[in-house]
Amino acid sequence: MSPLGVARPLPRVLDPLSDGEVSVREWRREDLHAMAAMLDDEPIARWTRVPQPYTERDGLDYFARGDAERERGEGINLAVLDAGGTELLGSISLRLASWADLRGQLGYLVGAHARGRGVMPRAIRLVTSWGFSALQLERIEILVHPDNAPSQRAAEKAGFHREGILRSYTRVKDQRFDMWSFSALPGEL
């Protein structure tokens, strides 16, 4: 294993992470059609950099970029499903914001058909626990647009602590936005 704080390929999630209600696993080619249908959604386009309309070609590009990012130690993209692994509910990614500081950052979205079911707080906890154990991260962050109340609720329901506003933090679709910062440390969830 590489020394702490040194970028390295991320381990694969070969067995789904599950809490008995929700499971999280790597994306598979057979997810492509359901993924494209789920992501072709106005609220997702509003809060993310996901292209609209979202096509299966976009999905294939996402899979290829995700494989390369995992190999470079930059992050991992995962599908969120029901516990049986049959219904696609959403997507969650863990990015390595800083290997030197052992800090990760989560990004997530929920398909329209799964909103309001408590899916994402469960997925957040599963991936956060994996990041702390498998990657030995010491801090995981979630950054949320101030107007995205559902995403803020998901972070808080998962046990993340609201820290404050990061002014003019990011660009989305040619506009600068503030972002709320949430965090979790090992042993807090």
Side-chain angles (χ1 to χ4, degrees):
M1 179 175 221
S2 298
L4 292 180
V6 176
R8 59 195 180 271
L10 301 184
R12 299 196 71 94
V13 178
L14 298 175
D15 295 317
L17 311 172
S18 182
D19 67 357
E21 297 281 329
V22 170
S23 64
V24 178
R25 63 159 169 77
E26 291 188 26
W27 286 100
R28 299 177 184 156
R29 174 113 182 160
E30 58 265 24
D31 297 325
L32 188 58
H33 182 72
M35 175 194 192
M38 178 182 74
L39 294 178
D40 197 21
D41 177 55
E42 189 282 325
I44 289 174
R46 180 176 181 203
W47 302 119
T48 70
R49 292 180 174 98
V50 171
Q52 289 296 305
Y54 197 90
T55 67
E56 289 188 11
R57 175 79 252 162
D58 294 316
L60 290 171
D61 292 344
Y62 178 75
F63 291 167
R65 278 192 318 275
D67 289 342
E69 289 168 356
R70 190 189 61 72
E71 282 299 315
R72 291 190 305 262
E74 296 172 356
I76 189 166
N77 303 323
L78 303 163
V80 179
L81 301 105
D82 64 317
T86 58
E87 180 187 11
L88 180 62
L89 305 172
S91 177
I92 189 164
S93 299
L94 176 59
R95 300 272 165 255
L96 278 294
S98 171
W99 272 113
D101 296 321
L102 295 172
R103 186 177 70 241
Q105 186 178 98
L106 291 176
Y108 48 85
L109 56 86
V110 178
H113 65 287
R115 292 182 190 134
R117 292 171 37 188
V119 167
M120 199 45 65
R122 291 175 172 280
I124 290 169
R125 283 191 293 272
L126 288 167
V127 175
T128 298
S129 294
W130 181 83
F132 288 145
S133 63
L135 304 179
Q136 300 177 341
L137 297 178
E138 295 177 354
R139 175 184 167 91
I140 296 180
E141 303 166 336
I142 298 173
L143 303 179
V144 181
H145 188 285
D147 294 337
N148 189 345
S151 188
Q152 292 177 50
R153 279 193 303 274
E156 289 178 324
K157 285 181 180 180
F160 276 64
H161 299 273
R162 184 183 295 259
E163 294 181 324
I165 288 279
L166 303 172
R167 296 180 315 128
S168 192
Y169 188 80
T170 194
R171 289 185 65 80
V172 177
K173 298 180 175 85
D174 296 325
Q175 292 184 340
R176 289 211 68 84
F177 290 103
D178 297 344
M179 298 295 273
W180 270 107
S181 173
F182 297 82
S183 72
L185 305 177
E188 289 185 340
L189 302 187

